[in-house]
Amino acid sequence: MLLSAYWTLGVFLVLSGAFASAALVMSWLLQPKSPNDIKNSTYECGMNLLGSSDVQFDIKYYMYGLMFIIFDVEAVFLFPWAVKYKSLGLYGFIEAVIFILILILGLIYVCKKDALTWK
C-alpha cells in the first residue's frame, strides 16, 4: 500500500519534469531566430536609450526588500495564532513568545550589522 503511494509520486515527478523539460526544449526549438541590431537593442517605452542599460544597483535596496519580505511573511504567521489564541492555551502562548523573540533577535542582528542605515 505504501509502496504504491511512492510509486504514484515517483511517476508524477518524472512526468512533470519531462513535461517542463519538453516545454523548454520546444520553446527553444520553435523560437524565431532572426536577430538584428534593432531587435537586440534595449527598448525603453519608445524613447531613445540614455546611457548604458547595465546599471548596477546598490545592495542596500535588495537588503531592504529581503528584510521586508522576511519580516512580513513572519508577521503573517502570527495571524492564525491570534485567531486560535484562546484554544491554544499556555503552550500556544509560549510558542508565540519564542517566535516573537526569534524575530526580535533577528531585528537586533540586522541593526548591529547596520543593514538598516543609509550610507
Side-chain angles (χ1 to χ4, degrees), residues 57-67 115 117-119:
F57 292 100
D58 197 358
I59 189 69
K60 64 185 168 191
Y61 300 117
Y62 297 110
M63 291 297 294
Y64 273 105
L66 188 60
M67 285 186 291
T117 57
W118 289 99
K119 294 180 182 178

Side-chain angles (χ1 to χ4, degrees), residues 90-103:
L90 182 62
Y91 180 73
F93 177 73
I94 291 172
E95 281 187 356
V97 168
I98 291 171
F99 182 74
I100 292 171
L101 285 175
I102 291 171
L103 288 178

